[in-house]
Amino acid sequence: MVKEESDMDWKKRYADKLCTADEAVAHIKSGDRVVVAHACGEPVILTDAMVANADRLGYRDVEVVHMVAMGKAGYCAPEMSEHFRHNGLFLGGSTRAAIAEGRGDFTPVFFSEAPELFRMTLPVDVILLQVSEPDEHGYCSFGISCDYTKPAAECAKIRIAQVNKNMPRVLGDNFIHISGLDYIVAEDTPLIQLAPPKIGEVQRKIGENIASLVHDGDCLQLGIGAIPDAVLLFLKDKKDLGIHSEMFSDGVVELLEAGVVTNACKQVERGKCVATFLMGTDRLYNYVNDNPMVVLKSVDWVNDPRVICQNDNVVSINSCVEVDLMGQVCSESVGLKQISGVGGQVDFVRGANMSKGGRTIMAMPATAAKGSVSRIVPFIAEGAAVTTSRCDVNYVVTEYGIAQLHGRSLQDRAKQLIAIAAPQFREKLQEEFERRFPL
């Protein structure tokens, strides 16, 4: 994006761009669209400074856009509504209320298409970044958040970066030269940590069921949470697994260190784990630092189904909210209430389905609300979004078993799904089956 400069030139320019967080956010103007780096790559000192200075700087109608927010998301607070309006491409615990209460917006988008959204539809005025310290050539790594962050930085009018020695230097197409940064805040703060989830007996059983569908040499896409981590517990007897995933966490490090993941059978970036962002603890962040085994690239490449399917035997493992008796999958809403987003689920479902020997797996506990609600339902809840179509799903997994849907009739699908529902709900589901498919 920017030509390399001599050591003297880039070091002088770096020094000239240094400022405080308060000074940096003064370059945000009312009406600007501000994109925030993704997930654990969020520069919390910059987002906090933006909120703290909103009154002093007189912000009005600043649009804050990102996917997963891992910081406090103070711009979503009710008292900030005259200053900021959040536009979420994916929602989480700190941002849902703003959208539900009409103080923000949700924009559906496939994760792979987010960069194009910023290039064409939602032009970026300011991006808030967090990057590693520059190397001897003046290049900073985007660290654990390449995804849409790098493409958005490439098209932003103003780039404000926290340079943090704690941000790992993650390799791949994951760098920016300091000449491409407009304002630099040098602050060495701890990275956001995502602690490993608690894995209960239900998740362990689901993980064991999923692991039975994974074979030696498969290339895995894993989501985040207790179910994907539980799957990893049951893969330790596998050989030569590969990783091409939108993200991975600490559990994959254990399999790498044990020699279970070698990436030896992949066709794309053979020998390397490929992802577009990372979330975890210092164990993960220390492992990926300057590690040639790990490659991060932008999400419009990593999540492109046309790239994914170049690997053979891709196994896409994702969680969901509910599945109806036709096999339609809702993964992002409870009725009309938006709780997350499409993310990369459909990207990888499509890529896995196009992969030679590929498989797609949707996993969920059979019940919600402490066992009072079935997740296998006659109909998707009114107003809910169908995230993944019935034609795309291969397997649905609960703690009660595995339903294989691909190539099956509606009647066969319903039978298989009822069989893996929680026992206390099977009778009512069977009644719906008999209404729908009379003898």
Side-chain angles (χ1 to χ4, degrees), residues 174-194:
N174 195 33
F175 291 88
I176 185 170
H177 195 266
I178 66 96
S179 57
L181 304 175
D182 296 296
Y183 305 98
I184 296 172
V185 179
E187 291 280 351
D188 299 327
T189 55
L191 295 183
I192 296 172
Q193 306 265 319
L194 183 71

Side-chain angles (χ1 to χ4, degrees), residues 112-113 116 119 244 267-268 299-312 314 346-356:
S112 63
E113 295 180 358
E116 189 66 10
R119 294 184 193 112
H244 185 116
Q267 285 68 45
V268 177
V299 71
D300 48 352
W301 186 86
V302 172
N303 281 38
D304 186 337
R306 296 166 296 185
V307 173
I308 296 165
C309 73
Q310 292 174 41
N311 287 306
D312 294 342
V314 174
V346 177
D347 295 331
F348 274 92
V349 164
R350 290 173 174 171
N353 281 337
M354 291 190 289
S355 164
K356 181 181 178 182

